[in-house]
Structures are given as C-alpha cells and as structure tokens.
Amino acid sequence: MQAQNDKCVMVLDKDLPLGILANTAGIMGITLGKHIPETVGADVLDKSGKEHLGIIELPVPILKADREKIRAIREQLFQPEFADLIVVDFSDVAQSCNVYEEYIKKAARVEEKEMTYFGIGICGAKKLVNKLTGSLPLLR
C-alpha cells in the first residue's frame, strides 16, 4: 500500500456509546494491521533512546454514519468492483461474544442481513475507498 494511491478508513456508527465506538475501532484496527502489515512503519527511538513500536504509515480517518448507511456501504462491498479492497466489519454478533469460538458458532447461525454493523474498516485503492466513503464526515 502506498499513501498516494491507497487509503484506509474506518466508518463507525455515530449513535453507539463511546466505549463501544472505541472497542470497535480497536478491534478493526488490529485486524487491518494483520492483513496489511506492510503499512506498519519501523520502530522509532526517541531522543532519550527509548523505543516506540512502529505505527501505521497511512492516515486512518475515522468517519461517522448511521446504521443504515453503514449497511448500504457493506452491501456495496460485496460487488465485484470492490473485490480487491480489504474489509473488516464488526457487528452486534461479534460484540455479543466473549470467546472467539462462540462468535464462530453464533455467526454461522445468523444471516448476514440480520447483523447490525457497528463499524467497517476499508483499505485499498483510494479511488474506490473514496467512492464508498468520500461524502462521510469525520467522527468528532
């Protein structure tokens, strides 16, 4: 991924409580980091010689939308045009589980259309990411 050609965003449900917003962003960020490790920069030393682990080299705007808009974006992401984008979502199904094995089993029993998305993270070609999210405001 290159900053001039690629983009990463997170779109969060603006109506969620602050704690769930933070949890959603954190979980999706870890997942995106796993799938695009080349975007994490080298570790950094400060003036006193203390080490700081590398962080993502691309900005990751956190955008807001309502539940319906997030669902509409998620549905668009199933179209072939967007197949090359890296997408992570976090839903009510995932948030309701304390153990990953429980999430696997619960997700297998729920139709996708029944899931409520708390957020989606999207990384890839800037043009495609902007097509999906370019009109969304920042979460403030």
Side-chain angles (χ1 to χ4, degrees):
M1 296 195 86
Q2 300 173 346
Q4 65 271 22
N5 300 322
D6 296 305
K7 186 172 185 176
C8 249
V9 301
M10 289 189 193
V11 182
L12 301 180
D13 180 341
K14 64 183 181 67
D15 297 319
L16 290 174
L18 186 57
I20 300 217
L21 282 171
N23 183 252
T24 299
I27 287 170
M28 292 190 316
I30 290 169
T31 302
L32 288 172
K34 175 186 175 188
H35 290 277
I36 52 170
E38 69 278 6
T39 64
V40 178
D43 295 347
V44 175
L45 295 177
D46 64 27
K47 186 176 180 179
S48 61
K50 302 283 195 284
E51 184 177 50
H52 305 271
L53 293 180
I55 60 172
I56 190 167
E57 294 177 338
L58 300 172
V60 183
I62 308 295
L63 309 174
K64 67 179 176 180
D66 61 28
R67 184 175 292 173
E68 292 76 25
K69 180 64 175 175
I70 293 172
R71 161 133 330 261
I73 293 170
R74 185 67 184 110
E75 287 176 8
Q76 284 182 280
L77 286 161
F78 290 117
Q79 296 175 8
E81 173 184 9
F82 302 106
D84 290 336
L85 294 177
I86 297 165
V87 179
V88 59
D89 60 62
F90 190 66
S91 68
D92 58 337
V93 175
Q95 202 276 330
S96 69
C97 300
N98 292 321
V99 179
Y100 200 77
E101 189 64 35
E102 179 186 0
Y103 171 50
I104 293 169
K105 290 176 183 175
K106 191 170 186 178
R109 295 188 310 264
V110 177
E111 293 281 337
E112 187 277 332
K113 66 184 176 187
E114 296 172 1
M115 292 184 177
T116 299
Y117 293 107
F118 290 178
I120 52 175
I122 308 167
C123 293
K126 188 181 286 188
K127 181 179 177 183
L128 293 175
V129 175
N130 284 341
K131 185 174 183 178
L132 293 165
T133 65
S135 65
L136 298 177
L138 289 171
L139 177 67
R140 296 180 185 265

mmCIF file with all atom_site columns, all heavy atoms in Angstrom, residues 58-83:
data_model
loop_
_atom_site.group_PDB
_atom_site.id
_atom_site.type_symbol
_atom_site.label_atom_id
_atom_site.label_alt_id
_atom_site.label_comp_id
_atom_site.label_asym_id
_atom_site.label_entity_id
_atom_site.label_seq_id
_atom_site.pdbx_PDB_ins_code
_atom_site.Cartn_x
_atom_site.Cartn_y
_atom_site.Cartn_z
_atom_site.occupancy
_atom_site.B_iso_or_equiv
_atom_site.pdbx_formal_charge
_atom_site.auth_seq_id
_atom_site.auth_comp_id
_atom_site.auth_asym_id
_atom_site.auth_atom_id
_atom_site.pdbx_PDB_model_num
ATOM 1   N N   . LEU A 1 58 ? 0.046   5.190  7.043  1.00 0.00 ? 58 LEU A N   1
ATOM 2   C CA  . LEU A 1 58 ? -1.053  5.881  6.369  1.00 0.00 ? 58 LEU A CA  1
ATOM 3   C C   . LEU A 1 58 ? -1.975  6.512  7.405  1.00 0.00 ? 58 LEU A C   1
ATOM 4   O O   . LEU A 1 58 ? -2.211  5.918  8.457  1.00 0.00 ? 58 LEU A O   1
ATOM 5   C CB  . LEU A 1 58 ? -1.903  4.894  5.552  1.00 0.00 ? 58 LEU A CB  1
ATOM 6   C CG  . LEU A 1 58 ? -1.248  4.097  4.444  1.00 0.00 ? 58 LEU A CG  1
ATOM 7   C CD1 . LEU A 1 58 ? -2.230  3.052  3.919  1.00 0.00 ? 58 LEU A CD1 1
ATOM 8   C CD2 . LEU A 1 58 ? -0.814  5.011  3.332  1.00 0.00 ? 58 LEU A CD2 1
ATOM 9   N N   . PRO A 1 59 ? -2.549  7.664  7.106  1.00 0.00 ? 59 PRO A N   1
ATOM 10  C CA  . PRO A 1 59 ? -3.594  8.179  7.996  1.00 0.00 ? 59 PRO A CA  1
ATOM 11  C C   . PRO A 1 59 ? -4.810  7.249  7.917  1.00 0.00 ? 59 PRO A C   1
ATOM 12  O O   . PRO A 1 59 ? -5.048  6.628  6.881  1.00 0.00 ? 59 PRO A O   1
ATOM 13  C CB  . PRO A 1 59 ? -3.941  9.549  7.409  1.00 0.00 ? 59 PRO A CB  1
ATOM 14  C CG  . PRO A 1 59 ? -3.014  9.791  6.281  1.00 0.00 ? 59 PRO A CG  1
ATOM 15  C CD  . PRO A 1 59 ? -2.270  8.551  5.984  1.00 0.00 ? 59 PRO A CD  1
ATOM 16  N N   . VAL A 1 60 ? -5.537  7.148  8.989  1.00 0.00 ? 60 VAL A N   1
ATOM 17  C CA  . VAL A 1 60 ? -6.762  6.337  9.008  1.00 0.00 ? 60 VAL A CA  1
ATOM 18  C C   . VAL A 1 60 ? -7.884  7.219  9.548  1.00 0.00 ? 60 VAL A C   1
ATOM 19  O O   . VAL A 1 60 ? -8.138  7.248  10.755 1.00 0.00 ? 60 VAL A O   1
ATOM 20  C CB  . VAL A 1 60 ? -6.613  5.066  9.876  1.00 0.00 ? 60 VAL A CB  1
ATOM 21  C CG1 . VAL A 1 60 ? -7.880  4.223  9.799  1.00 0.00 ? 60 VAL A CG1 1
ATOM 22  C CG2 . VAL A 1 60 ? -5.407  4.245  9.445  1.00 0.00 ? 60 VAL A CG2 1
ATOM 23  N N   . PRO A 1 61 ? -8.565  7.951  8.666  1.00 0.00 ? 61 PRO A N   1
ATOM 24  C CA  . PRO A 1 61 ? -9.678  8.778  9.138  1.00 0.00 ? 61 PRO A CA  1
ATOM 25  C C   . PRO A 1 61 ? -10.777 7.908  9.741  1.00 0.00 ? 61 PRO A C   1
ATOM 26  O O   . PRO A 1 61 ? -11.100 6.845  9.206  1.00 0.00 ? 61 PRO A O   1
ATOM 27  C CB  . PRO A 1 61 ? -10.185 9.490  7.881  1.00 0.00 ? 61 PRO A CB  1
ATOM 28  C CG  . PRO A 1 61 ? -9.186  9.237  6.815  1.00 0.00 ? 61 PRO A CG  1
ATOM 29  C CD  . PRO A 1 61 ? -8.365  8.066  7.226  1.00 0.00 ? 61 PRO A CD  1
ATOM 30  N N   . ILE A 1 62 ? -11.320 8.361  10.847 1.00 0.00 ? 62 ILE A N   1
ATOM 31  C CA  . ILE A 1 62 ? -12.458 7.695  11.470 1.00 0.00 ? 62 ILE A CA  1
ATOM 32  C C   . ILE A 1 62 ? -13.683 8.519  11.095 1.00 0.00 ? 62 ILE A C   1
ATOM 33  O O   . ILE A 1 62 ? -13.819 9.673  11.501 1.00 0.00 ? 62 ILE A O   1
ATOM 34  C CB  . ILE A 1 62 ? -12.313 7.618  13.006 1.00 0.00 ? 62 ILE A CB  1
ATOM 35  C CG1 . ILE A 1 62 ? -10.955 6.998  13.398 1.00 0.00 ? 62 ILE A CG1 1
ATOM 36  C CG2 . ILE A 1 62 ? -13.479 6.836  13.600 1.00 0.00 ? 62 ILE A CG2 1
ATOM 37  C CD1 . ILE A 1 62 ? -10.749 5.565  12.996 1.00 0.00 ? 62 ILE A CD1 1
ATOM 38  N N   . LEU A 1 63 ? -14.541 7.913  10.298 1.00 0.00 ? 63 LEU A N   1
ATOM 39  C CA  . LEU A 1 63 ? -15.723 8.589  9.771  1.00 0.00 ? 63 LEU A CA  1
ATOM 40  C C   . LEU A 1 63 ? -16.957 8.112  10.510 1.00 0.00 ? 63 LEU A C   1
ATOM 41  O O   . LEU A 1 63 ? -16.945 7.054  11.146 1.00 0.00 ? 63 LEU A O   1
ATOM 42  C CB  . LEU A 1 63 ? -15.852 8.291  8.272  1.00 0.00 ? 63 LEU A CB  1
ATOM 43  C CG  . LEU A 1 63 ? -14.598 8.552  7.438  1.00 0.00 ? 63 LEU A CG  1
ATOM 44  C CD1 . LEU A 1 63 ? -14.801 8.082  6.009  1.00 0.00 ? 63 LEU A CD1 1
ATOM 45  C CD2 . LEU A 1 63 ? -14.215 10.014 7.495  1.00 0.00 ? 63 LEU A CD2 1
ATOM 46  N N   . LYS A 1 64 ? -18.023 8.897  10.405 1.00 0.00 ? 64 LYS A N   1
ATOM 47  C CA  . LYS A 1 64 ? -19.262 8.508  11.075 1.00 0.00 ? 64 LYS A CA  1
ATOM 48  C C   . LYS A 1 64 ? -20.388 8.385  10.063 1.00 0.00 ? 64 LYS A C   1
ATOM 49  O O   . LYS A 1 64 ? -20.409 9.062  9.035  1.00 0.00 ? 64 LYS A O   1
ATOM 50  C CB  . LYS A 1 64 ? -19.635 9.500  12.170 1.00 0.00 ? 64 LYS A CB  1
ATOM 51  C CG  . LYS A 1 64 ? -20.009 10.875 11.665 1.00 0.00 ? 64 LYS A CG  1
ATOM 52  C CD  . LYS A 1 64 ? -20.378 11.786 12.824 1.00 0.00 ? 64 LYS A CD  1
ATOM 53  C CE  . LYS A 1 64 ? -20.665 13.203 12.343 1.00 0.00 ? 64 LYS A CE  1
ATOM 54  N NZ  . LYS A 1 64 ? -21.029 14.078 13.458 1.00 0.00 ? 64 LYS A NZ  1
ATOM 55  N N   . ALA A 1 65 ? -21.304 7.486  10.397 1.00 0.00 ? 65 ALA A N   1
ATOM 56  C CA  . ALA A 1 65 ? -22.505 7.283  9.585  1.00 0.00 ? 65 ALA A CA  1
ATOM 57  C C   . ALA A 1 65 ? -23.549 6.655  10.486 1.00 0.00 ? 65 ALA A C   1
ATOM 58  O O   . ALA A 1 65 ? -23.240 6.157  11.570 1.00 0.00 ? 65 ALA A O   1
ATOM 59  C CB  . ALA A 1 65 ? -22.211 6.377  8.394  1.00 0.00 ? 65 ALA A CB  1
ATOM 60  N N   . ASP A 1 66 ? -24.787 6.666  10.019 1.00 0.00 ? 66 ASP A N   1
ATOM 61  C CA  . ASP A 1 66 ? -25.808 5.967  10.781 1.00 0.00 ? 66 ASP A CA  1
ATOM 62  C C   . ASP A 1 66 ? -25.805 4.494  10.375 1.00 0.00 ? 66 ASP A C   1
ATOM 63  O O   . ASP A 1 66 ? -25.126 4.084  9.432  1.00 0.00 ? 66 ASP A O   1
ATOM 64  C CB  . ASP A 1 66 ? -27.191 6.601  10.615 1.00 0.00 ? 66 ASP A CB  1
ATOM 65  C CG  . ASP A 1 66 ? -27.701 6.609  9.190  1.00 0.00 ? 66 ASP A CG  1
ATOM 66  O OD1 . ASP A 1 66 ? -27.334 5.732  8.384  1.00 0.00 ? 66 ASP A OD1 1
ATOM 67  O OD2 . ASP A 1 66 ? -28.495 7.511  8.872  1.00 0.00 ? 66 ASP A OD2 1
ATOM 68  N N   . ARG A 1 67 ? -26.525 3.711  11.112 1.00 0.00 ? 67 ARG A N   1
ATOM 69  C CA  . ARG A 1 67 ? -26.570 2.261  10.921 1.00 0.00 ? 67 ARG A CA  1
ATOM 70  C C   . ARG A 1 67 ? -26.968 1.887  9.491  1.00 0.00 ? 67 ARG A C   1
ATOM 71  O O   . ARG A 1 67 ? -26.402 0.969  8.897  1.00 0.00 ? 67 ARG A O   1
ATOM 72  C CB  . ARG A 1 67 ? -27.568 1.697  11.931 1.00 0.00 ? 67 ARG A CB  1
ATOM 73  C CG  . ARG A 1 67 ? -27.685 0.224  11.960 1.00 0.00 ? 67 ARG A CG  1
ATOM 74  C CD  . ARG A 1 67 ? -28.601 -0.211 13.070 1.00 0.00 ? 67 ARG A CD  1
ATOM 75  N NE  . ARG A 1 67 ? -27.937 0.092  14.343 1.00 0.00 ? 67 ARG A NE  1
ATOM 76  C CZ  . ARG A 1 67 ? -28.497 -0.039 15.530 1.00 0.00 ? 67 ARG A CZ  1
ATOM 77  N NH1 . ARG A 1 67 ? -29.740 -0.451 15.636 1.00 0.00 ? 67 ARG A NH1 1
ATOM 78  N NH2 . ARG A 1 67 ? -27.837 0.238  16.624 1.00 0.00 ? 67 ARG A NH2 1
ATOM 79  N N   . GLU A 1 68 ? -27.928 2.607  8.930  1.00 0.00 ? 68 GLU A N   1
ATOM 80  C CA  . GLU A 1 68 ? -28.415 2.287  7.586  1.00 0.00 ? 68 GLU A CA  1
ATOM 81  C C   . GLU A 1 68 ? -27.353 2.565  6.535  1.00 0.00 ? 68 GLU A C   1
ATOM 82  O O   . GLU A 1 68 ? -27.196 1.801  5.578  1.00 0.00 ? 68 GLU A O   1
ATOM 83  C CB  . GLU A 1 68 ? -29.698 3.069  7.275  1.00 0.00 ? 68 GLU A CB  1
ATOM 84  C CG  . GLU A 1 68 ? -30.902 2.643  8.093  1.00 0.00 ? 68 GLU A CG  1
ATOM 85  C CD  . GLU A 1 68 ? -30.884 3.154  9.545  1.00 0.00 ? 68 GLU A CD  1
ATOM 86  O OE1 . GLU A 1 68 ? -30.236 4.202  9.829  1.00 0.00 ? 68 GLU A OE1 1
ATOM 87  O OE2 . GLU A 1 68 ? -31.491 2.493  10.402 1.00 0.00 ? 68 GLU A OE2 1
ATOM 88  N N   . LYS A 1 69 ? -26.612 3.655  6.679  1.00 0.00 ? 69 LYS A N   1
ATOM 89  C CA  . LYS A 1 69 ? -25.555 3.986  5.720  1.00 0.00 ? 69 LYS A CA  1
ATOM 90  C C   . LYS A 1 69 ? -24.430 2.962  5.788  1.00 0.00 ? 69 LYS A C   1
ATOM 91  O O   . LYS A 1 69 ? -23.883 2.549  4.759  1.00 0.00 ? 69 LYS A O   1
ATOM 92  C CB  . LYS A 1 69 ? -25.031 5.399  5.982  1.00 0.00 ? 69 LYS A CB  1
ATOM 93  C CG  . LYS A 1 69 ? -23.935 5.828  5.041  1.00 0.00 ? 69 LYS A CG  1
ATOM 94  C CD  . LYS A 1 69 ? -24.413 5.911  3.600  1.00 0.00 ? 69 LYS A CD  1
ATOM 95  C CE  . LYS A 1 69 ? -23.336 6.457  2.686  1.00 0.00 ? 69 LYS A CE  1
ATOM 96  N NZ  . LYS A 1 69 ? -23.730 6.432  1.284  1.00 0.00 ? 69 LYS A NZ  1
ATOM 97  N N   . ILE A 1 70 ? -24.083 2.536  6.994  1.00 0.00 ? 70 ILE A N   1
ATOM 98  C CA  . ILE A 1 70 ? -23.037 1.516  7.140  1.00 0.00 ? 70 ILE A CA  1
ATOM 99  C C   . ILE A 1 70 ? -23.481 0.231  6.451  1.00 0.00 ? 70 ILE A C   1
ATOM 100 O O   . ILE A 1 70 ? -22.704 -0.396 5.728  1.00 0.00 ? 70 ILE A O   1
ATOM 101 C CB  . ILE A 1 70 ? -22.676 1.285  8.620  1.00 0.00 ? 70 ILE A CB  1
ATOM 102 C CG1 . ILE A 1 70 ? -22.010 2.548  9.189  1.00 0.00 ? 70 ILE A CG1 1
ATOM 103 C CG2 . ILE A 1 70 ? -21.771 0.069  8.779  1.00 0.00 ? 70 ILE A CG2 1
ATOM 104 C CD1 . ILE A 1 70 ? -21.781 2.521  10.679 1.00 0.00 ? 70 ILE A CD1 1
ATOM 105 N N   . ARG A 1 71 ? -24.715 -0.159 6.631  1.00 0.00 ? 71 ARG A N   1
ATOM 106 C CA  . ARG A 1 71 ? -25.235 -1.360 5.963  1.00 0.00 ? 71 ARG A CA  1
ATOM 107 C C   . ARG A 1 71 ? -25.172 -1.190 4.447  1.00 0.00 ? 71 ARG A C   1
ATOM 108 O O   . ARG A 1 71 ? -24.761 -2.105 3.731  1.00 0.00 ? 71 ARG A O   1
ATOM 109 C CB  . ARG A 1 71 ? -26.675 -1.645 6.384  1.00 0.00 ? 71 ARG A CB  1
ATOM 110 C CG  . ARG A 1 71 ? -27.355 -2.565 5.389  1.00 0.00 ? 71 ARG A CG  1
ATOM 111 C CD  . ARG A 1 71 ? -28.139 -3.734 5.850  1.00 0.00 ? 71 ARG A CD  1
ATOM 112 N NE  . ARG A 1 71 ? -27.837 -4.423 7.022  1.00 0.00 ? 71 ARG A NE  1
ATOM 113 C CZ  . ARG A 1 71 ? -27.135 -5.578 7.047  1.00 0.00 ? 71 ARG A CZ  1
ATOM 114 N NH1 . ARG A 1 71 ? -26.627 -6.087 5.956  1.00 0.00 ? 71 ARG A NH1 1
ATOM 115 N NH2 . ARG A 1 71 ? -26.945 -6.199 8.178  1.00 0.00 ? 71 ARG A NH2 1
ATOM 116 N N   . ALA A 1 72 ? -25.548 -0.026 3.947  1.00 0.00 ? 72 ALA A N   1
ATOM 117 C CA  . ALA A 1 72 ? -25.525 0.213  2.498  1.00 0.00 ? 72 ALA A CA  1
ATOM 118 C C   . ALA A 1 72 ? -24.098 0.110  1.950  1.00 0.00 ? 72 ALA A C   1
ATOM 119 O O   . ALA A 1 72 ? -23.880 -0.488 0.887  1.00 0.00 ? 72 ALA A O   1
ATOM 120 C CB  . ALA A 1 72 ? -26.127 1.582  2.183  1.00 0.00 ? 72 ALA A CB  1
ATOM 121 N N   . ILE A 1 73 ? -23.135 0.658  2.674  1.00 0.00 ? 73 ILE A N   1
ATOM 122 C CA  . ILE A 1 73 ? -21.732 0.559  2.245  1.00 0.00 ? 73 ILE A CA  1
ATOM 123 C C   . ILE A 1 73 ? -21.295 -0.902 2.271  1.00 0.00 ? 73 ILE A C   1
ATOM 124 O O   . ILE A 1 73 ? -20.660 -1.389 1.331  1.00 0.00 ? 73 ILE A O   1
ATOM 125 C CB  . ILE A 1 73 ? -20.816 1.428  3.129  1.00 0.00 ? 73 ILE A CB  1
ATOM 126 C CG1 . ILE A 1 73 ? -21.119 2.910  2.916  1.00 0.00 ? 73 ILE A CG1 1
ATOM 127 C CG2 . ILE A 1 73 ? -19.340 1.123  2.845  1.00 0.00 ? 73 ILE A CG2 1
ATOM 128 C CD1 . ILE A 1 73 ? -20.445 3.830  3.923  1.00 0.00 ? 73 ILE A CD1 1
ATOM 129 N N   . ARG A 1 74 ? -21.650 -1.604 3.327  1.00 0.00 ? 74 ARG A N   1
ATOM 130 C CA  . ARG A 1 74 ? -21.256 -3.023 3.439  1.00 0.00 ? 74 ARG A CA  1
ATOM 131 C C   . ARG A 1 74 ? -21.833 -3.815 2.270  1.00 0.00 ? 74 ARG A C   1
ATOM 132 O O   . ARG A 1 74 ? -21.150 -4.664 1.692  1.00 0.00 ? 74 ARG A O   1
ATOM 133 C CB  . ARG A 1 74 ? -21.720 -3.606 4.780  1.00 0.00 ? 74 ARG A CB  1
ATOM 134 C CG  . ARG A 1 74 ? -21.238 -5.028 5.019  1.00 0.00 ? 74 ARG A CG  1
ATOM 135 C CD  . ARG A 1 74 ? -19.725 -5.041 5.174  1.00 0.00 ? 74 ARG A CD  1
ATOM 136 N NE  . ARG A 1 74 ? -19.199 -6.371 5.320  1.00 0.00 ? 74 ARG A NE  1
ATOM 137 C CZ  . ARG A 1 74 ? -18.465 -6.996 4.388  1.00 0.00 ? 74 ARG A CZ  1
ATOM 138 N NH1 . ARG A 1 74 ? -18.184 -6.414 3.246  1.00 0.00 ? 74 ARG A NH1 1
ATOM 139 N NH2 . ARG A 1 74 ? -17.993 -8.193 4.602  1.00 0.00 ? 74 ARG A NH2 1
ATOM 140 N N   . GLU A 1 75 ? -23.067 -3.551 1.901  1.00 0.00 ? 75 GLU A N   1
ATOM 141 C CA  . GLU A 1 75 ? -23.681 -4.259 0.776  1.00 0.00 ? 75 GLU A CA  1
ATOM 142 C C   . GLU A 1 75 ? -22.953 -3.945 -0.531 1.00 0.00 ? 75 GLU A C   1
ATOM 143 O O   . GLU A 1 75 ? -22.754 -4.837 -1.355 1.00 0.00 ? 75 GLU A O   1
ATOM 144 C CB  . GLU A 1 75 ? -25.166 -3.912 0.682  1.00 0.00 ? 75 GLU A CB  1
ATOM 145 C CG  . GLU A 1 75 ? -25.978 -4.565 1.780  1.00 0.00 ? 75 GLU A CG  1
ATOM 146 C CD  . GLU A 1 75 ? -27.446 -4.171 1.793  1.00 0.00 ? 75 GLU A CD  1
ATOM 147 O OE1 . GLU A 1 75 ? -27.907 -3.486 0.856  1.00 0.00 ? 75 GLU A OE1 1
ATOM 148 O OE2 . GLU A 1 75 ? -28.125 -4.531 2.764  1.00 0.00 ? 75 GLU A OE2 1
ATOM 149 N N   . GLN A 1 76 ? -22.546 -2.695 -0.721 1.00 0.00 ? 76 GLN A N   1
ATOM 150 C CA  . GLN A 1 76 ? -21.786 -2.337 -1.920 1.00 0.00 ? 76 GLN A CA  1
ATOM 151 C C   . GLN A 1 76 ? -20.470 -3.106 -1.982 1.00 0.00 ? 76 GLN A C   1
ATOM 152 O O   . GLN A 1 76 ? -20.003 -3.462 -3.063 1.00 0.00 ? 76 GLN A O   1
ATOM 153 C CB  . GLN A 1 76 ? -21.483 -0.837 -1.946 1.00 0.00 ? 76 GLN A CB  1
ATOM 154 C CG  . GLN A 1 76 ? -22.651 0.024  -2.328 1.00 0.00 ? 76 GLN A CG  1
ATOM 155 C CD  . GLN A 1 76 ? -22.222 1.480  -2.376 1.00 0.00 ? 76 GLN A CD  1
ATOM 156 O OE1 . GLN A 1 76 ? -22.135 2.134  -1.352 1.00 0.00 ? 76 GLN A OE1 1
ATOM 157 N NE2 . GLN A 1 76 ? -21.940 1.961  -3.572 1.00 0.00 ? 76 GLN A NE2 1
ATOM 158 N N   . LEU A 1 77 ? -19.872 -3.354 -0.829 1.00 0.00 ? 77 LEU A N   1
ATOM 159 C CA  . LEU A 1 77 ? -18.579 -4.023 -0.784 1.00 0.00 ? 77 LEU A CA  1
ATOM 160 C C   . LEU A 1 77 ? -18.634 -5.478 -1.255 1.00 0.00 ? 77 LEU A C   1
ATOM 161 O O   . LEU A 1 77 ? -17.598 -6.075 -1.530 1.00 0.00 ? 77 LEU A O   1
ATOM 162 C CB  . LEU A 1 77 ? -17.991 -3.937 0.627  1.00 0.00 ? 77 LEU A CB  1
ATOM 163 C CG  . LEU A 1 77 ? -17.466 -2.552 0.972  1.00 0.00 ? 77 LEU A CG  1
ATOM 164 C CD1 . LEU A 1 77 ? -17.321 -2.380 2.476  1.00 0.00 ? 77 LEU A CD1 1
ATOM 165 C CD2 . LEU A 1 77 ? -16.153 -2.296 0.260  1.00 0.00 ? 77 LEU A CD2 1
ATOM 166 N N   . PHE A 1 78 ? -19.825 -6.042 -1.366 1.00 0.00 ? 78 PHE A N   1
ATOM 167 C CA  . PHE A 1 78 ? -19.963 -7.402 -1.892 1.00 0.00 ? 78 PHE A CA  1
ATOM 168 C C   . PHE A 1 78 ? -19.948 -7.415 -3.421 1.00 0.00 ? 78 PHE A C   1
ATOM 169 O O   . PHE A 1 78 ? -19.880 -8.467 -4.036 1.00 0.00 ? 78 PHE A O   1
ATOM 170 C CB  . PHE A 1 78 ? -21.250 -8.058 -1.378 1.00 0.00 ? 78 PHE A CB  1
ATOM 171 C CG  . PHE A 1 78 ? -21.212 -8.385 0.092  1.00 0.00 ? 78 PHE A CG  1
ATOM 172 C CD1 . PHE A 1 78 ? -22.098 -7.777 0.972  1.00 0.00 ? 78 PHE A CD1 1
ATOM 173 C CD2 . PHE A 1 78 ? -20.298 -9.289 0.616  1.00 0.00 ? 78 PHE A CD2 1
ATOM 174 C CE1 . PHE A 1 78 ? -22.080 -8.069 2.328  1.00 0.00 ? 78 PHE A CE1 1
ATOM 175 C CE2 . PHE A 1 78 ? -20.264 -9.588 1.968  1.00 0.00 ? 78 PHE A CE2 1
ATOM 176 C CZ  . PHE A 1 78 ? -21.156 -8.976 2.822  1.00 0.00 ? 78 PHE A CZ  1
ATOM 177 N N   . GLN A 1 79 ? -20.004 -6.245 -4.070 1.00 0.00 ? 79 GLN A N   1
ATOM 178 C CA  . GLN A 1 79 ? -19.985 -6.162 -5.530 1.00 0.00 ? 79 GLN A CA  1
ATOM 179 C C   . GLN A 1 79 ? -18.568 -6.402 -6.054 1.00 0.00 ? 79 GLN A C   1
ATOM 180 O O   . GLN A 1 79 ? -17.586 -6.014 -5.417 1.00 0.00 ? 79 GLN A O   1
ATOM 181 C CB  . GLN A 1 79 ? -20.497 -4.793 -5.996 1.00 0.00 ? 79 GLN A CB  1
ATOM 182 C CG  . GLN A 1 79 ? -21.936 -4.544 -5.635 1.00 0.00 ? 79 GLN A CG  1
ATOM 183 C CD  . GLN A 1 79 ? -22.379 -3.130 -6.006 1.00 0.00 ? 79 GLN A CD  1
ATOM 184 O OE1 . GLN A 1 79 ? -21.669 -2.384 -6.663 1.00 0.00 ? 79 GLN A OE1 1
ATOM 185 N NE2 . GLN A 1 79 ? -23.566 -2.775 -5.549 1.00 0.00 ? 79 GLN A NE2 1
ATOM 186 N N   . PRO A 1 80 ? -18.461 -7.019 -7.236 1.00 0.00 ? 80 PRO A N   1
ATOM 187 C CA  . PRO A 1 80 ? -17.138 -7.342 -7.803 1.00 0.00 ? 80 PRO A CA  1
ATOM 188 C C   . PRO A 1 80 ? -16.208 -6.138 -7.947 1.00 0.00 ? 80 PRO A C   1
ATOM 189 O O   . PRO A 1 80 ? -14.990 -6.275 -7.799 1.00 0.00 ? 80 PRO A O   1
ATOM 190 C CB  . PRO A 1 80 ? -17.473 -7.922 -9.177 1.00 0.00 ? 80 PRO A CB  1
ATOM 191 C CG  . PRO A 1 80 ? -18.872 -8.409 -9.071 1.00 0.00 ? 80 PRO A CG  1
ATOM 192 C CD  . PRO A 1 80 ? -19.555 -7.521 -8.063 1.00 0.00 ? 80 PRO A CD  1
ATOM 193 N N   . GLU A 1 81 ? -16.746 -4.969 -8.206 1.00 0.00 ? 81 GLU A N   1
ATOM 194 C CA  . GLU A 1 81 ? -15.943 -3.756 -8.363 1.00 0.00 ? 81 GLU A CA  1
ATOM 195 C C   . GLU A 1 81 ? -15.038 -3.502 -7.160 1.00 0.00 ? 81 GLU A C   1
ATOM 196 O O   . GLU A 1 81 ? -13.945 -2.946 -7.286 1.00 0.00 ? 81 GLU A O   1
ATOM 197 C CB  . GLU A 1 81 ? -16.889 -2.565 -8.561 1.00 0.00 ? 81 GLU A CB  1
ATOM 198 C CG  . GLU A 1 81 ? -16.235 -1.220 -8.564 1.00 0.00 ? 81 GLU A CG  1
ATOM 199 C CD  . GLU A 1 81 ? -17.232 -0.067 -8.669 1.00 0.00 ? 81 GLU A CD  1
ATOM 200 O OE1 . GLU A 1 81 ? -18.462 -0.283 -8.578 1.00 0.00 ? 81 GLU A OE1 1
ATOM 201 O OE2 . GLU A 1 81 ? -16.762 1.059  -8.847 1.00 0.00 ? 81 GLU A OE2 1
ATOM 202 N N   . PHE A 1 82 ? -15.478 -3.930 -5.980 1.00 0.00 ? 82 PHE A N   1
ATOM 203 C CA  . PHE A 1 82 ? -14.755 -3.654 -4.744 1.00 0.00 ? 82 PHE A CA  1
ATOM 204 C C   . PHE A 1 82 ? -14.026 -4.883 -4.190 1.00 0.00 ? 82 PHE A C   1
ATOM 205 O O   . PHE A 1 82 ? -13.549 -4.871 -3.056 1.00 0.00 ? 82 PHE A O   1
ATOM 206 C CB  . PHE A 1 82 ? -15.725 -3.097 -3.699 1.00 0.00 ? 82 PHE A CB  1
ATOM 207 C CG  . PHE A 1 82 ? -16.415 -1.845 -4.148 1.00 0.00 ? 82 PHE A CG  1
ATOM 208 C CD1 . PHE A 1 82 ? -17.750 -1.865 -4.516 1.00 0.00 ? 82 PHE A CD1 1
ATOM 209 C CD2 . PHE A 1 82 ? -15.721 -0.647 -4.231 1.00 0.00 ? 82 PHE A CD2 1
ATOM 210 C CE1 . PHE A 1 82 ? -18.396 -0.709 -4.951 1.00 0.00 ? 82 PHE A CE1 1
ATOM 211 C CE2 . PHE A 1 82 ? -16.351 0.515  -4.665 1.00 0.00 ? 82 PHE A CE2 1
ATOM 212 C CZ  . PHE A 1 82 ? -17.685 0.485  -5.024 1.00 0.00 ? 82 PHE A CZ  1
ATOM 213 N N   . ALA A 1 83 ? -13.904 -5.930 -4.994 1.00 0.00 ? 83 ALA A N   1
ATOM 214 C CA  . ALA A 1 83 ? -13.343 -7.204 -4.527 1.00 0.00 ? 83 ALA A CA  1
ATOM 215 C C   . ALA A 1 83 ? -11.902 -7.096 -4.033 1.00 0.00 ? 83 ALA A C   1
ATOM 216 O O   . ALA A 1 83 ? -11.489 -7.885 -3.183 1.00 0.00 ? 83 ALA A O   1
ATOM 217 C CB  . ALA A 1 83 ? -13.437 -8.253 -5.637 1.00 0.00 ? 83 ALA A CB  1
#
